[in-house]
Amino acid sequence: METDGAAGYVIEYAGEVVRGLSMEGRMTLCNMSIEAGARAAMVAPDETTIAYMKGRRFAPQGEAWDRAVTYWRTLSSDAGAHFDKTLAIDAADLAPYVTWGTNPGMVVQVTGCVPELNGANEADRRATERALQYMGLQPGVKIQEIGIDECSSDRAPIRAWRICARRLE
């Protein structure tokens, strides 16, 4: 799986699912964008953002807070804004992905199998062999047959989201 699909882009996340995420979920999403090669990522400020910021140590207070909130509400894309690339994902059609290896590109759908070694170039093959040895896995094993030692997930409901990206020159 490619881990550099966002290289050179700034990503703006939008849509129902993104709006339903907590601030921590939004920050995680944006951080993962950097792993995909993005230069930056954002979710336009909304009520969730404002509630999260209110009363924080370095947040503005009093009239300065009111001015900040008014300004933050302007920080969304203009209606009809042009993006260099728009990607719509219906997450309901996706099986969850899990890592089988030692880097973010070593993932497979939970309904899949640990990859075979054939067909890869020599460098990829060596990296796969090292990762499989480190993880104690064998090629071709169904992911659902592997016991779980440790797990983390975001419990946000996943339905559909839109990713809007603008390539930086």
Side-chain angles (χ1 to χ4, degrees):
M1 175 172 255
E2 293 294 322
T3 55
D4 63 354
Y9 287 89
V10 171
I11 299 174
E12 178 181 351
Y13 290 95
E16 174 187 351
V17 171
V18 174
R19 290 280 174 227
L21 293 174
S22 66
M23 283 304 295
E24 293 80 5
R26 294 171 183 198
M27 289 185 270
T28 299
L29 183 63
C30 290
N31 186 58
M32 290 188 311
S33 303
I34 303 309
E35 292 182 17
R39 293 186 180 193
M42 66 164 282
V43 175
D46 61 5
E47 295 309 314
T48 300
T49 310
I50 293 164
Y52 179 85
M53 293 299 297
K54 189 163 184 69
R56 296 250 169 207
R57 182 175 174 196
F58 296 109
Q61 302 296 318
E63 288 182 29
W65 170 259
D66 295 336
R67 285 191 306 275
V69 168
T70 298
Y71 175 68
W72 293 338
R73 292 184 194 281
T74 70
L75 298 177
S76 59
S77 293
D78 295 335
H82 169 76
F83 293 92
D84 294 321
K85 185 175 185 180
T86 299
L87 175 62
I89 299 171
D90 185 348
D93 293 339
L94 298 175
Y97 279 77
V98 295
T99 58
W100 59 265
T102 56
N103 73 51
M106 294 176 168
V107 298
V108 67
Q109 287 188 353
V110 73
T111 55
C113 297
V114 174
E116 298 289 341
L117 297 175
N118 54 10
N121 67 44
E122 189 59 31
D124 288 344
R125 183 182 174 88
R126 282 195 311 269
T128 298
E129 287 173 343
R130 285 192 304 270
L132 292 176
Q133 182 178 10
Y134 178 81
M135 298 298 288
L137 297 173
Q138 296 297 317
V141 172
K142 291 181 179 179
I143 293 296
Q144 293 178 353
E145 294 176 359
I146 300 170
I148 299 173
D149 294 325
E150 192 172 323
C151 180
S152 65
S153 69
D154 185 342
R155 295 184 179 175
I158 303 296
R159 278 181 241 126
W161 60 350
R162 184 183 72 204
I163 302 173
C164 300
R166 175 172 285 277
R167 183 154 185 84
L168 296 177
E169 298 304 324

